[in-house]
Amino acid sequence: MRFGDHGGRYVPEPLIPACEAVAEAFADAWADPGFRAELDTLLRQHAGRPTTLTPAANLSADLGLRVTLKREDLAHTGSHKINNVLGQALLARRMGKPRIIAETGAGQHGVATATAAALLGLDATVFMGQKDVERQSLNVFRMRLLGAEVVPVHAGSRTLKDATSEAMRHWVAHTEDTYYCVGSVIGPHPYPTMVREFQSVIGIEARGQGGIPDYVVACVGGGSNAAGTFSAFLDTDATLIGVEADGGAALTKGAPGVLHGFRGYILQDAHGQVVEAHSISAGLDYPGTGPEHGHWRDSGRARYVSVTDDEVLAATTHLARTEGILPALESAHAIAWVMRAARTGELPRGASVLITLSGRGDKDVPTLMGAHQ
Ligand SMILES: *Cc1c(COP(=O)(O)O)cnc(C)c1O
């Protein structure tokens, strides 16, 4: 499956039947009202959906806009990641796989995977770069409390990119009993499509709750909360804006390339070597972006912009103090761009702006304490 020039399935030969099996199982499940009903029930009873759409009255008055916030920070485990993970864990069980594996950077996808595995009675193994294991000890402990095994990865830069490579390597050797639960709209087909579909609940709910805004804004790491939001507004006149971290801006500063089984915009040097991403928010520290975003960028259906760590820190405090909501640093990227665009006039006065608040900031308090010293 391709999105323009992007997407595809660039995996070692032994993984092709495994990806094919996931694609078939997903197509079958997604067309099955029984599967959809079971997922809806889990999302409602376990994950706290539907999440609220909050009119941000104070921020709106301050910026001269009409801002609403889609509150994924209120979902169970603190971000949108649970939407995707519950879907894939149900699929793993439907495929008869007793075990799921995942990669994680900051640990948010790992915690969500451990949570879904505990709920559905699956074994979970989470691959995490050694550097991230040290930086995110609280989430490592959380995963272990939930019964998951956390495997530190010592290869390469010992971060998310290496954890993802290791998870794929492990999957090659264990496809018989193991399902690979990918954390964003990346990876070989069918993952980018499947993860977007599981995250589309964000956009569908938001449209039902607030109608069609002039602008839809979401942060982009791999791109799953943005894709899940944008997908419900593709058929409208809404302007779609994806906000990247300045140090991880693959869509604004990268070039097409192949990473982790797919072709998409990737941060790379002049020789095509993948470059490490650097951002204050660990969740945006990934050098690639989902292939469908590459297609939306090329076709002009969505625009991609980037903001600096300083703008993000200012936006985090501003949202906390105007609305009483402490956003995840990832989500604060979307807020930061809206604040800038309101100031420069790029967002016209009175425009309606839907911002997806992908997660809550509790996990970032240690980082914020460091930054505000
Ligand atoms: C993981 C994460 C992101 C980045 O992932 P996407 O796939 O781009 O959505 C953004 N926000 C939060 C809160 C996250 O945990």
Side-chain angles (χ1 to χ4, degrees):
M1 172 89 179
R2 295 207 158 254
F3 306 97
D5 292 337
H6 308 282
R9 186 185 278 160
Y10 298 86
V11 294
E13 198 66 35
L15 276 191
I16 290 181
C19 289
E20 202 47 58
V22 173
E24 275 171 28
F26 173 68
D28 185 64
W30 210 228
D32 174 2
F35 180 87
R36 303 281 282 250
E38 190 174 9
L39 179 56
D40 283 350
T41 301
L42 281 183
L43 289 171
R44 207 172 53 246
Q45 296 180 343
H46 192 77
R49 302 212 73 87
T51 59
T52 312
L53 185 74
T54 301
N58 301 327
L59 184 70
S60 296
D62 186 42
L63 300 179
L65 301 167
R66 289 176 292 142
V67 177
T68 52
L69 304 172
K70 181 57 175 163
R71 301 288 305 281
E72 295 304 293
D73 59 313
L74 297 178
H76 183 43
T77 69
S79 81
H80 66 292
K81 294 219 164 66
I82 195 76
N83 306 328
N84 167 44
V85 156
L86 282 174
Q88 289 197 58
L90 266 187
L91 188 67
R93 203 179 62 182
R94 182 181 173 102
M95 292 175 75
K97 309 284 184 189
R99 177 166 182 268
I100 58 178
I101 59 169
E103 79 294 337
T104 199
Q108 296 302 106
H109 176 57
V111 168
T113 300
T115 298
L119 178 68
L120 297 180
L122 304 167
D123 287 335
T125 301
V126 179
F127 294 88
M128 190 169 186
Q130 174 62 30
K131 202 185 270 179
D132 291 329
V133 168
E134 288 160 21
R135 288 192 291 196
Q136 306 288 339
S137 56
L138 198 62
N139 271 342
V140 173
F141 190 63
R142 219 173 253 157
M143 286 182 256
R144 289 179 174 149
L145 277 176
L146 289 158
E149 180 192 9
V150 180
V151 178
V153 175
H154 297 276
S157 54
R158 298 172 292 132
T159 58
L160 177 58
K161 175 167 69 70
D162 314 288
T164 307
S165 303
E166 190 58 33
M168 291 188 83
R169 239 190 316 276
H170 181 92
W171 196 32
V172 173
H174 299 86
T175 52
E176 202 54 47
D177 70 341
T178 300
Y179 178 91
Y180 182 16
C181 180
V182 175
S184 190
V185 284
I186 60 159
H189 177 70
Y191 285 98
T193 302
M194 175 169 65
V195 176
R196 180 204 66 213
E197 287 295 277
F198 286 142
Q199 291 294 3
S200 67
V201 66
I202 303 172
I204 292 167
E205 279 180 12
R207 186 167 171 171
Q209 291 164 318
I212 301 164
D214 300 322
Y215 293 83
V216 178
V217 185
C219 69
V220 175
S224 69
N225 86 87
T229 308
F230 292 176
S231 64
F233 296 95
L234 291 172
D235 64 339
T236 72
D237 289 334
T239 302
L240 311 178
I241 311 269
V243 187
E244 297 187 288
D246 222 26
L251 285 155
T252 32
K253 296 176 187 166
V258 172
L259 177 69
H260 297 143
F262 71 100
R263 184 178 164 82
Y265 278 93
I266 290 159
L267 281 184
Q268 46 192 304
D269 65 17
H271 307 289
Q273 191 71 29
V274 176
V275 175
E276 280 297 300
H278 291 289
S279 159
I280 191 168
S281 63
L284 303 187
D285 254 352
Y286 181 69
T289 47
E292 196 163 20
H293 285 291
H295 180 52
W296 289 334
R297 174 198 187 278
D298 291 352
S299 70
R301 181 59 192 95
R303 261 186 60 211
Y304 297 88
V305 295
S306 69
V307 294
T308 65
D309 285 355
D310 285 346
E311 288 179 296
V312 168
L313 287 170
T316 302
T317 318
H318 194 66
L319 187 69
R321 293 183 185 172
T322 52
E323 296 293 336
I325 298 169
L326 182 64
L329 287 169
E330 292 86 357
S331 323
H333 284 68
I335 308 287
W337 182 80
V338 169
M339 285 170 58
R340 183 209 288 168
R343 201 175 57 242
T344 61
E346 192 172 348
L347 282 175
R349 279 192 80 77
S352 56
V353 182
L354 165 67
I355 303 176
T356 296
L357 207 69
S358 57
R360 70 178 81 124
D362 305 38
K363 68 181 176 59
D364 297 315
V365 168
T367 306
L368 291 165
M369 285 171 82
H372 284 283
Q373 263 167 16

